[in-house]
Amino acid sequence: MSDIDDLLINRKAVTYRLLPFGFCKSEKGYIYATHLADGQLEMRVTITNDTKVSAEVRDISSKELYVLHRVSGASGAFVGKVRKEYEQILAAIANDCFEPDVFKSKCAKQIIRHVREKYRDEPQFLWKRTPQNAIFRRQDNEKWYAALLVIQKRKLGLNADGTVDIIDLRAKPEDIDVLVDGKSYFPGYHMNKKHWITICLDDSVADEEIFQRIDESFVLAKSNAGKYARASKTESKLESIT
């Protein structure tokens, strides 16, 4: 079954969305309560002030904890009904009250904020197999102008272990030739290397410079869309990243 840990992995609560959903503010955080199984059980979801999430189901009459819906081998019409309703509520909370929190670097978070404020776009996580891959696309023609990824440093040719946040952007070929240095700027990772460039988001490039590159990529996604690889081909490449 789908449980909290599965649904909320790499996601964070958005506080201002909790009250409209139906959560109530408490001293220790937020609480959402609803009935299951035609009012026989109560489900309570708690989000503490330090963003820890828990859920429990109790019998309304006896107040005893009900757990059969979380036992994989438990079966029967009643258990199945409770399990289905429980999962639907958790899924609704995850979708309406949480947002992706995949990218940990300060720079990646600043990029998301910049794009949200300037272009009113949100990162789109398109693939279940690679939840660490997100793209931004223009709203008028749906062309991608940026991709945020988490990859192994060695995949960029860096002599270091661990992962790093990167951003892929459209760029003019003449600019790519000048910028690529193998340290901060790289040929487009899993992209058309003639028309895309990759920036390592490790604070080696100033935020304002990256914002400028994003703005240039946004323009190129419209004016030169015909010169670039089709989105379907790019999507299949990104989906294969591990």
Side-chain angles (χ1 to χ4, degrees):
M1 64 173 290
S2 299
D3 212 336
I4 290 177
D5 291 341
D6 301 320
L7 291 168
L8 301 185
I9 186 171
N10 287 329
R11 299 179 73 85
K12 64 179 180 181
V14 182
T15 305
Y16 68 83
R17 297 180 184 174
L18 298 177
L19 294 180
F21 185 88
F23 279 84
C24 295
K25 187 74 174 73
S26 69
E27 183 178 342
K28 296 182 179 180
Y30 294 85
I31 298 174
Y32 176 79
T34 188
H35 289 166
L36 305 179
D38 301 319
Q40 298 180 66
L41 303 173
E42 181 187 65
M43 176 179 176
R44 186 175 290 253
V45 179
T46 301
I47 302 176
T48 63
N49 290 326
D50 57 356
T51 68
K52 293 181 180 179
V53 185
S54 62
E56 66 174 26
V57 177
R58 291 185 179 274
D59 185 282
I60 290 181
S61 300
S62 67
K63 306 301 181 184
E64 291 183 358
L65 196 63
Y66 182 88
V67 298
L68 289 179
H69 63 296
R70 302 184 65 177
V71 178
S72 59
S75 60
F78 185 78
V79 175
K81 178 179 178 64
V82 174
R83 184 180 290 129
K84 180 179 180 180
E85 294 177 1
Y86 176 87
E87 291 182 349
Q88 287 176 339
I89 292 169
L90 287 183
I93 291 174
N95 291 332
D96 294 352
C97 302
F98 286 74
E99 66 181 9
D101 187 29
V102 174
F103 308 104
K104 306 305 180 183
S105 68
K106 178 182 176 182
C107 185
K109 294 179 185 297
Q110 294 280 47
I111 286 170
I112 293 172
R113 185 177 299 111
H114 169 77
V115 171
R116 178 181 292 144
E117 293 176 353
K118 186 162 187 177
Y119 299 111
R120 298 294 187 266
D121 291 330
E122 296 289 337
Q124 298 179 28
F125 296 82
L126 303 180
W127 311 281
K128 290 183 179 181
R129 290 196 304 170
T130 51
Q132 71 276 24
N133 297 340
I135 60 97
F136 292 103
R137 69 171 98 219
R138 291 183 61 111
Q139 296 180 31
D140 54 358
N141 62 11
E142 296 191 348
K143 293 291 184 180
W144 298 7
Y145 59 90
L148 277 173
L149 315 171
V150 182
I151 66 169
Q152 295 292 325
K153 293 179 180 179
R154 294 190 183 278
K155 289 189 175 182
L156 286 178
L158 298 172
N159 186 25
D161 294 324
T163 61
V164 64
D165 294 350
I166 64 170
I167 187 169
D168 285 339
L169 297 169
R170 297 177 186 265
K172 297 177 181 178
E174 57 268 28
D175 291 338
I176 294 174
D177 291 340
V178 173
L179 289 169
V180 169
D181 58 10
K183 298 178 181 179
S184 301
Y185 284 93
F186 301 82
Y189 181 73
H190 270 255
M191 296 291 199
N192 183 323
K193 299 187 186 319
K194 184 179 179 181
H195 298 291
W196 287 79
I197 196 166
T198 292
I199 304 176
C200 194
L201 304 181
D202 59 356
D203 296 325
S204 60
V205 180
D207 289 350
E208 288 304 321
E209 182 175 340
I210 296 174
F211 297 163
Q212 178 185 342
R213 304 288 176 203
I214 293 172
D215 296 342
E216 292 171 354
S217 183
F218 183 86
V219 173
L220 287 171
K222 180 178 181 179
S223 61
N224 295 325
K227 295 183 179 180
Y228 299 94
R230 296 182 62 178
S232 59
K233 294 182 180 180
T234 306
E235 287 173 4
S236 63
K237 287 183 179 181
L238 278 180
E239 189 175 13
S240 69
I241 296 176
T242 58

